[in-house]
Amino acid sequence: DSGVTQTPKHLITATGQRVTLRCSPRSGDLSVYWYQQSLDQGLQFLIQYYNGEERAKGNILERFSAQQFPDLHSELNLSSLELGDSALYFCASSVGTANTGELFFGEGSRLTVL
Amino acid sequence: QQQVKQSPQSLIVQKGGISIINCAYENTAFDYFPWYQQFPGKGPALLIAIRPDVSEKKEGRFTISFNKSAKQFSLHIMDSQPGDSATYFCAANRGSTLGRLYFGRGTQLTVWP
């Protein structure tokens, strides 16, 4: 158990809809990262937050947004969903800004868009 | 563009054998190279990592070999066990991008008894 909690584990929705994925980082971790895992693209970095502030942005679509709250949990919002958004979304956390690359991943939220 | 290229895509090894997974990168700014292990239904977990100032790092049955001039690194699993069956990802990171990891596409390892 990595200590990172993600909800929901599975989500099925329709095209055009909006969903919110939630992540609780390990106790004491200030950084939260979101990754997308798909068969087409593999594991792709989406965005990083550190102590409530956005620190790095990767291949995140404009239809997607995220935030980190004062209690350090994070939410990833996916809107105007398309079939291609179906993927496994991982949240990871680290104590600091993880220059060591040591991230602790949750078990993921599997999104299916029909 | 895939920043880290990984091969093979899948690997089948007999119990007790050596599993070898290879990765290559282009960006010389990368300064940290972790390997992650992922079991079905779980998130990736850090297995072992290396920095480019050393050519080899060993932890138990797992060894990373690093060739800076060739921009390649590999994972060797000695005495492979059925419990090692998982997907392995190599990754790279550079200090300026903090926790952003560039992952390889993964290698699905199956160790049969």
Side-chain angles (χ1 to χ4, degrees), chain A residues 15-113:
Chain A
T15 55
Q17 295 300 304
R18 172 190 169 95
V19 298
T20 298
L21 309 180
R22 181 188 170 99
C23 170
S24 294
R26 291 189 320 158
S27 177
D29 284 0
L30 298 178
S31 277
V32 168
Y33 312 78
W34 287 96
Y35 281 80
Q36 180 192 59
Q37 185 175 39
S38 65
L39 290 176
D40 290 346
Q41 300 294 326
L43 267 166
Q44 296 283 318
F45 170 77
L46 295 178
I47 198 164
Q48 176 197 5
Y49 280 83
Y50 176 75
N51 203 21
E53 294 187 0
E54 182 184 306
R55 292 302 295 268
K57 216 168 194 179
N59 304 320
I60 188 166
L61 299 172
E62 286 191 7
R63 301 182 285 107
F64 296 1
S65 65
Q67 55 184 325
Q68 186 179 27
F69 295 87
D71 67 352
L72 301 177
H73 91 272
S74 178
E75 292 181 356
L76 178 66
N77 300 295
L78 315 175
S79 62
S80 302
L81 286 168
E82 302 175 359
L83 295 177
D85 297 328
S86 295
L88 196 52
Y89 291 85
F90 283 107
C91 171
S93 72
S94 65
V95 172
T97 49
N99 190 32
T100 63
E102 184 167 2
L103 304 184
F104 296 87
F105 284 82
E107 295 192 347
S109 292
R110 183 171 295 280
L111 173 66
T112 302
V113 182

Side-chain angles (χ1 to χ4, degrees), chain B:
Chain B
Q1 180 186 4
Q2 197 73 20
Q3 298 252 7
V4 179
K5 296 182 179 179
Q6 182 172 349
S7 63
Q9 188 174 356
S10 62
L11 182 61
I12 300 174
V13 173
Q14 191 171 5
K15 178 182 176 182
I18 302 174
S19 304
I20 302 174
I21 304 171
N22 301 299
C23 286
Y25 64 98
E26 288 297 325
N27 191 337
T28 55
F30 287 146
D31 60 4
Y32 193 73
F33 301 88
W35 285 86
Y36 279 77
Q37 180 188 54
Q38 184 179 24
F39 292 102
K42 302 293 184 182
L46 180 65
L47 183 64
I48 186 173
I50 196 169
R51 290 197 181 274
D53 53 345
V54 296
S55 61
E56 186 175 281
K57 183 174 181 179
K58 183 176 180 180
E59 289 184 4
R61 296 184 294 108
F62 300 90
T63 300
I64 301 178
S65 297
F66 188 85
N67 186 329
K68 188 174 181 179
S69 60
K71 292 184 286 186
Q72 295 175 348
F73 58 111
S74 60
L75 177 69
H76 292 63
I77 306 174
M78 311 299 289
D79 187 26
S80 299
Q81 299 297 313
D84 297 331
S85 298
T87 301
Y88 292 81
F89 294 93
C90 61
N93 164 281
R94 60 177 191 256
S96 63
T97 56
L98 306 172
R100 175 175 187 166
L101 289 173
Y102 295 86
F103 283 92
R105 296 300 295 270
T107 297
Q108 188 168 352
L109 171 66
T110 302
V111 181
W112 54 282

